[in-house]
Amino acid sequence: MKRTITPRQFLAVVSTLCITVILLSSGLSLGGMHVEAMACLAGLLVIGVAAYGFARHARDGETILLRSDGQLQIDVVLGAQCSTVLLNPQRVRMSPLQPPQNLIWLHHGSKVLQIGRAVTPARRAAFAAELKPLLARSAA
């Protein structure tokens, strides 16, 4: 799912939906329709699992920073995993974008990083075009 809404907007929509389902389920239960009320609550469970999956990856992405000491710092967040990699930009080489995912591949010795998962292909290509001359300038 691409980020078409913010996590806060998603939470507001899911919360409204949950309140509506709970009210509907309570009304059905008070009216004697217990099976239908349980079906509503089962649907609410499915919505909760989907919301958890979205929330877990809502902040996925990479932050790339050229530090004042000349190091290229890449912070990667994927779900609950966070990692930071420091690279010497003079030794970093970038591969051309390759289908089907068109991720940006950065090679630093034996390390290989794939970046650009959380942005659209157009923004990824624009970023790659911007990063390539910066890396070339560092290597010179």
Side-chain angles (χ1 to χ4, degrees):
M1 173 191 248
K2 295 292 180 194
R3 289 192 195 125
T4 55
I5 63 172
T6 66
R8 182 173 293 178
Q9 290 170 330
F10 180 75
L11 183 61
V13 169
V14 169
S15 298
T16 304
L17 183 61
C18 289
I19 290 169
T20 304
V21 169
I22 289 172
L23 290 174
L24 178 65
S25 178
S26 299
L28 289 171
S29 184
L30 288 175
M33 296 185 236
H34 301 294
V35 174
E36 290 81 359
M38 294 312 259
C40 286
L41 293 176
L44 186 60
L45 178 66
V46 171
I47 291 169
V49 169
Y52 173 76
F54 174 81
R56 186 167 185 255
H57 293 284
R59 298 285 182 198
D60 284 1
E62 299 96 6
T63 303
I64 300 171
L65 174 69
L66 187 58
R67 297 177 4 166
S68 60
D69 63 358
Q71 294 288 311
L72 187 66
Q73 178 178 332
I74 303 172
D75 298 319
V76 180
V77 177
L78 290 173
Q81 298 177 340
C82 299
S83 62
T84 299
V85 179
L86 291 175
L87 304 174
N88 180 351
Q90 297 172 344
R91 297 190 60 222
V92 173
R93 150 179 94 77
M94 186 172 75
S95 296
L97 301 177
Q98 299 290 326
Q101 289 184 315
N102 289 333
L103 294 178
I104 299 170
W105 289 62
L106 297 178
H107 303 269
H108 184 269
S110 62
K111 291 182 185 176
V112 178
L113 293 172
Q114 297 177 18
I115 59 173
R117 286 179 188 83
V119 295
T120 63
R123 286 197 54 161
R124 192 178 306 130
F127 177 73
E130 185 180 327
L131 182 62
K132 193 168 192 166
L134 291 174
L135 292 175
R137 203 172 327 150
S138 294

